[in-house]
Amino acid sequence: MLMCAFFGVAATTAAVAPATAEPDPCPDVEVIFARGTGEPAGIGVVGQAFVGALAAKLGVRTLNSDAVNYPADFDFLAADVGADDAAARIVAMSSRCQDTKLVLGGYSQGAAVIDMLANVGPLGQKIGGIGSAPPLAAPFADKVSAVAVFGNPADRFGTPLSTTGAFAGRAIDLCNAADPICSQQGDTMKAHEEYQFAPSDQVAADFVAARL
């Protein structure tokens, strides 16, 4: 029942511009974001809300958003495609734009993509073998300034990114108490579909901005 619910994420609208084309010269900050299940290509509504909130806190600093390229469909096993894509982007940006601050983010299945980079099992040890992408190599993991994930299924198994894996201490892992995807006490999918609204977007943006 949980897995069926996880794959049925509803899309809503957000009044934030979609991911922009890569600017030249290098931006001061780049957010690499993985959308949730069922959302169209791009950073998704939660990513848009988060990027918009973060941009408002950066003053004159420039910000680019890059959408992780992966299916985001009902085949959760394909989340490792997203982890590989995000890792490639991190490597490329670290080499080409050495002064750019890199931020990772993801919502729902997209959060599981980021879990893989952190060497955290996206669905815990009880459902082993899901997600075969290797973790991000240490030199590149160190290039990530901050991480923000929303409705992360790893939370349900006691391994939030805030305290677990390669990004512990520089990650915020937002989980609504009633969200059954990330909370063992969760009982309504509506709670899983509200991360694009305040306070989630603002809390995440405040956390990340303080680390840039």
Side-chain angles (χ1 to χ4, degrees), residues 14-200:
V16 179
T20 58
E22 181 180 313
D24 187 19
C26 296
D28 295 315
V29 179
E30 175 161 291
V31 176
I32 301 168
F33 199 95
R35 70 195 189 280
T37 307
E39 293 188 289
I43 63 174
V45 294
V46 175
Q48 291 170 12
F50 166 59
V51 168
L54 179 59
K57 300 178 185 301
L58 295 182
V60 298
R61 285 180 287 179
T62 57
L63 172 65
N64 182 58
S65 60
D66 181 78
V68 173
N69 183 16
Y70 84 115
D73 59 18
F74 297 115
D75 180 9
F76 188 84
L77 291 172
D80 62 353
V81 174
D84 287 338
D85 182 77
R89 180 67 179 182
I90 293 167
V91 171
M93 287 297 292
S94 297
S95 301
R96 186 175 67 83
C97 297
Q98 297 182 10
D99 294 329
T100 296
K101 302 292 187 182
L102 299 180
V103 175
L104 299 183
Y107 163 54
S108 195
Q109 186 180 170
V113 167
I114 308 304
D115 292 337
M116 294 181 196
L117 296 178
N119 199 23
V120 172
L123 293 179
Q125 297 304 314
K126 294 181 180 179
I127 310 178
I130 295 181
S132 59
L136 190 61
F140 298 106
D142 292 343
K143 296 288 187 179
V144 176
S145 297
V147 177
V149 289
F150 307 80
N152 183 6
D155 273 7
R156 188 177 175 87
F157 298 91
T159 54
L161 289 185
S162 54
T163 59
T164 312
F167 306 128
R170 50 193 158 127
I172 185 168
D173 209 317
L174 291 164
C175 176
N176 292 330
D179 182 350
I181 302 307
C182 57
S183 171
Q184 292 187 7
Q185 288 73 47
D187 58 5
T188 172
M189 277 301 294
K190 185 174 185 295
H192 187 65
E193 298 162 2
E194 297 179 334
Y195 292 104
Q196 66 268 38
F197 304 121
S200 296

